[in-house]
Amino acid sequence: MKTLEILVPQYKETDDVVKPLLDSIAIQQNIDFDDIGVIICNDGSDVFLTEDFLNSYPYEIKYYKEPHRGVSGTRNACLDHSSAEYVMFCDADDMFFSACGLWILFREMDIGVFDSLVSIFVEETRIPDTGEVTYINRQMDSTFVHGKVHRRKYLINKKIRWNESLTIHEDSYFNILCQNLSANVKYCQTPFYLWKWRDDSVCRHDPKYILKTYSNMLDSNEALVNEFIRRGMHDKAKFYTCFMVFDAYYTMNKPEWINQDNQEYRDKTEKRFSEYFKKQKAMWESVSTQEKMQISNGVRSRSVAEGMGMETITIDDWLKHIETMEGD
C-alpha cells in the first residue's frame, strides 16, 4: 500500500499544463518513490494526457477516464480509486513548492498519525500595477484545497465526500468538514504547496470574480450547515450560519461592493442572501449575543485587513433591508 497518493482532477489541462506538477514530484528529495503515487481522473473531456508522457516519470501514475461530473465529482472519483494511507488533492496546474515538499509531509506523518493536516501554502501572483511576479504565504485556512492532506480511512469512516452539487467555492465545504469531524487535526507551519499563476485562470485574472461568485459561497455554506444538521452537530451549524451572516455583512461594506459600477452584483448577491437568511433566521437568532460578538470580531478584523473601511449601515438595519428583498 502506498503511503501517499496525490489526487488530481483533469479537464482541459494538456500535458504541458500538468507537467510542472509531475516534474515537481519527480525531483523530490530523500523519499522513496515506491511510497507515493499519483491518480489523475479525466472529467469527461476530450483532452487526454498521453501515455508516453505519463509513463516517463519515476513513480506510479494511474490515469482514469471518467464521465463528466464537475470538479467535486471528479475529486470523489480520484478518492474512490485510491488505496493509500494518506491522500492529497492537488489541482492539475499547481506544483510542489520545493524539492523537499514531500520530505516535509512525510516528516509530519512520522511524528504521528493525523486525520487531516493543514499547512501554510505559497501563492504565485502578480503585482496589479506592474504585472511583476511575486510570491506570498497564504495562512492556514479552510478556504482552499491547497496544502491539505487527509488520512484516507478517516474520510471513509466519517463519510466525508466532496459535495457534487458544488463546483465553485466547493473547497470550504470539504475542508471544514475535515477539520471539524476529528480532534486529530495537525497544523504545519512549513509550506510545501505552490498555487501557481495561470493567465487564463478566471478566479485569478478577473478582478470581479468574487463579485460574480459570492452567491456560490452562500450555496457552499448552506450545504455545509445542512450537513452539520444532518449529522446532529447543531452547534457547528449555528456557528457557520453566524459566520456566514457576518461575512456577508462585512463583505457588502467593502469598497468594491459599495461602488455603483458593481450595483448589479450587489443586488444579485443580496437577493441570494435574502433567501439564505430567511432559511437560517431561527438559527441565527439562537446564537447568544456574546458568541455573535466573538464571531463578528474575527470576521471584521479579516475584512478590515482586506480593505474594508467603516461600516455604512448597522448589521440590524442591513438584515431588515435584506428581509424585504425578493429573489429572482
Side-chain angles (χ1 to χ4, degrees):
M1 181 175 70
K2 303 286 186 188
T3 303
L4 174 70
E5 284 179 324
I6 297 159
L7 311 183
V8 184
Q10 178 250 340
Y11 186 54
K12 294 292 188 180
E13 296 86 0
T14 61
D15 289 1
D16 288 342
V17 173
V18 180
K19 190 175 188 299
L21 170 61
L22 301 184
D23 284 354
S24 74
I25 298 170
I27 65 169
Q28 293 298 306
Q29 301 298 297
N30 298 309
I31 62 163
D32 186 341
F33 283 124
D34 288 338
D35 289 336
I36 65 170
V38 175
I39 293 175
I40 304 174
C41 286
N42 175 284
D43 182 20
S45 85
D46 56 0
V47 177
F48 301 116
L49 304 179
T50 61
E51 188 173 343
D52 287 346
F53 167 65
L54 295 176
N55 289 338
S56 67
Y57 288 95
Y59 50 85
E60 182 179 64
I61 301 176
K62 295 179 180 178
Y63 187 47
Y64 298 94
K65 298 173 183 177
E66 299 284 337
H68 179 60
R69 295 163 62 183
V71 64
S72 292
T74 305
R75 285 174 177 154
N76 282 335
C78 289
L79 180 60
D80 291 339
H81 286 299
S82 175
S83 59
E85 183 178 3
Y86 289 94
V87 294
M88 177 182 180
F89 295 96
C90 290
D91 287 341
D93 55 357
D94 290 337
M95 62 187 294
F96 282 88
F97 176 58
S98 75
C100 300
L102 285 181
W103 178 85
I104 293 167
L105 187 47
F106 275 71
R107 180 194 62 187
E108 295 292 342
M109 295 174 186
D110 290 340
I111 292 172
V113 173
F114 55 80
D115 289 328
S116 285
L117 178 140
V118 182
S119 175
I120 289 173
F121 63 91
V122 177
E123 177 185 357
E124 177 185 350
T125 186
R126 300 290 184 270
I127 297 174
D129 293 339
T130 66
E132 182 183 353
V133 176
T134 189
Y135 294 90
I136 59 175
N137 278 353
R138 297 294 297 252
Q139 296 302 309
M140 292 174 281
D141 69 349
S142 59
T143 304
F144 300 96
V145 70
H146 315 320
K148 297 171 179 66
V149 182
H150 313 282
R151 189 168 62 86
R152 186 178 61 86
K153 286 194 174 179
Y154 163 61
L155 300 181
I156 293 171
N157 292 341
K158 291 292 187 178
K159 296 181 173 58
I160 302 173
R161 307 275 292 176
W162 292 85
N163 187 314
E164 299 193 18
S165 69
L166 305 173
T167 57
I168 301 175
H169 300 305
E170 76 287 346
D171 303 25
S172 60
Y173 171 91
F174 182 84
N175 293 332
I176 290 172
L177 285 180
C178 289
Q179 294 170 33
N180 280 274
L181 298 184
S182 171
N184 189 14
V185 178
K186 181 179 284 190
Y187 298 91
C188 177
Q189 296 287 344
T190 308
F192 52 81
Y193 190 98
L194 174 64
W195 182 19
K196 279 180 59 61
W197 176 273
R198 277 183 71 193
D199 288 336
D200 57 353
S201 173
V202 176
C203 71
R204 306 292 285 283
H205 73 70
D206 185 349
K208 296 191 176 184
Y209 178 74
I210 296 299
L211 290 162
K212 294 175 181 178
T213 65
Y214 192 89
S215 293
N216 299 103
M217 292 187 190
L218 292 166
D219 296 341
S220 182
N221 179 272
E222 188 169 59
L224 176 69
V225 168
N226 289 339
E227 180 64 13
F228 278 132
I229 292 172
R230 189 186 71 80
R231 291 174 181 262
M233 301 174 70
H234 295 281
D235 285 345
K236 294 292 185 183
K238 289 193 290 186
F239 174 88
Y240 284 101
T241 294
C242 195
F243 179 92
M244 190 75 254
V245 171
F246 281 116
D247 189 88
Y249 167 62
Y250 288 123
T251 293
M252 293 300 106
N253 279 282
K254 291 178 181 178
E256 62 270 28
W257 290 89
I258 297 171
N259 187 332
Q260 289 299 308
D261 290 342
N262 296 323
Q263 188 64 42
E264 64 174 302
Y265 302 119
R266 184 184 182 107
D267 290 345
K268 175 184 174 183
T269 301
E270 287 191 329
K271 286 178 181 178
R272 173 64 184 93
F273 182 79
S274 178
E275 297 172 4
Y276 173 92
F277 186 69
K278 288 169 184 175
K279 291 179 184 177
Q280 311 297 353
K281 184 177 180 180
M283 194 169 296
W284 160 260
E285 292 178 340
S286 71
V287 178
S288 70
T289 300
Q290 183 177 359
E291 288 176 291
K292 285 178 180 174
M293 287 180 61
Q294 291 174 341
I295 297 169
S296 173
N297 289 339
V299 179
R300 189 182 190 282
S301 295
R302 188 198 67 197
S303 298
V304 168
E306 294 172 349
M308 187 191 83
M310 185 65 68
E311 296 91 312
T312 59
I313 185 174
T314 68
I315 188 167
D316 289 338
D317 286 342
W318 183 66
L319 291 176
K320 288 177 184 176
H321 157 68
I322 286 295
E323 288 190 274
T324 66
M325 301 186 75
E326 297 293 337
D328 293 331

